[in-house]
Amino acid sequence: MNAEQFAGLLGERGISLSSTQLGQFETYFETLVEWNEKMNLTAITERDEVYLKHFYDSLSASFYFDFSGPFSLCDVGAGAGFPSIPLKIAFPSLNVTIVDSLNKRITFLNHLAKVLKLDNVQFIHDRAETFGTNPRHRESYDIVTARAVARLSVLSELCLPLVKKEGNFVALKAANAKEELADAKKAITILGGRIQETNTFSLPLEDSERTIIVINKEKPTPKKYPRKPGTPAKSPIA
């Protein structure tokens, strides 16, 4: 997928990118590849693949959920900035916070935000479990996103405590989403969420399956969640 195909396929989905925004994606690609030589940010470095498997894949969440308001968005475990930085480029009114447990990724993201000239972005070095208990962040975001971080039963415990009441947790999943969803139903309910919608589609050009799961926050998350670092992954709510 080249930049032209990228813009064309997004246009078919109702997402129109300006030449400035397309320039930001190209700068993002160049910066990612340059920094990837110094630190392991991604295994995907070919231009066509980055545009398809990182940029388009990140923006696919917006095919099923409207990110166009001035929302506060927290991205948990974003790594090299996916999905929240592509979403921020496409929807500049988003106010983005990324939390990641690796400081070197935070260093990269701070540099990236400068070269892309992004405003209203902040990057926090923390574990999601401790971040979710911080009163400044707990239940304070309109939207929380996560892409390929952990199984949904674990992810729900890391993300739902950050979502404000009536806000939404948007999970970007690859294969096995249906099975993960079945396993996570109890955890989602306990944590105050309700599955609002599930949308499965194929990534263009290679036909790999993707699923976007939208979970609405109906009631506050019990205070004991998230549990201490490492616990959600070792013993998911079941």
Side-chain angles (χ1 to χ4, degrees), residues 23-66:
Q24 284 176 302
F25 276 109
E26 186 57 24
T27 301
Y28 193 168
F29 164 71
E30 290 165 358
T31 309
L32 179 68
V33 171
E34 180 196 334
W35 276 62
N36 204 57
E37 290 175 9
K38 299 181 273 187
M39 60 174 74
N40 181 24
L41 291 164
T42 177
I44 297 167
T45 54
E46 294 298 319
R47 178 182 263 101
D48 287 7
E49 291 213 324
V50 170
Y51 269 86
L52 176 64
K53 295 179 181 175
H54 282 328
F55 297 164
Y56 185 91
D57 188 49
S58 292
L59 289 176
S60 67
S62 68
F63 305 162
Y64 306 102
F65 187 90
D66 184 7

Side-chain angles (χ1 to χ4, degrees), residues 133-235:
T133 62
N134 183 329
R136 281 182 53 228
H137 298 283
R138 186 178 179 87
E139 300 194 320
S140 63
Y141 294 95
D142 298 311
I143 308 164
V144 175
T145 54
R147 174 181 178 259
V149 175
R151 286 182 65 81
L152 191 61
S153 52
V154 177
L155 211 48
S156 297
E157 185 172 348
L158 303 179
C159 295
L160 276 168
L162 294 164
V163 183
K164 63 169 65 163
K165 199 176 169 212
E166 299 310 327
N168 293 280
F169 165 35
V170 181
L172 290 78
K173 286 285 171 187
N176 306 322
K178 198 177 279 186
E179 178 197 316
E180 284 192 36
L181 201 51
D183 290 346
K185 273 183 177 162
K186 185 181 176 187
I188 290 166
T189 303
I190 287 171
L191 295 158
R194 178 181 57 84
I195 299 157
Q196 191 164 303
E197 58 179 286
T198 305
N199 296 282
T200 298
F201 66 101
S202 290
L203 211 54
L205 309 178
E206 63 163 39
D207 285 339
S208 53
E209 190 176 283
R210 296 288 189 270
T211 300
I212 307 297
I213 301 163
V214 179
I215 296 166
N216 183 252
K217 179 80 168 274
E218 287 192 314
K219 51 185 193 287
T221 300
K223 282 207 170 74
K224 68 175 185 176
Y225 300 108
R227 292 166 291 168
K228 65 183 189 205
T231 306
K234 278 190 206 122
S235 54

Side-chain angles (χ1 to χ4, degrees), residues 75-87:
D75 194 4
V76 173
F82 307 117
S84 55
I85 299 298
L87 286 167

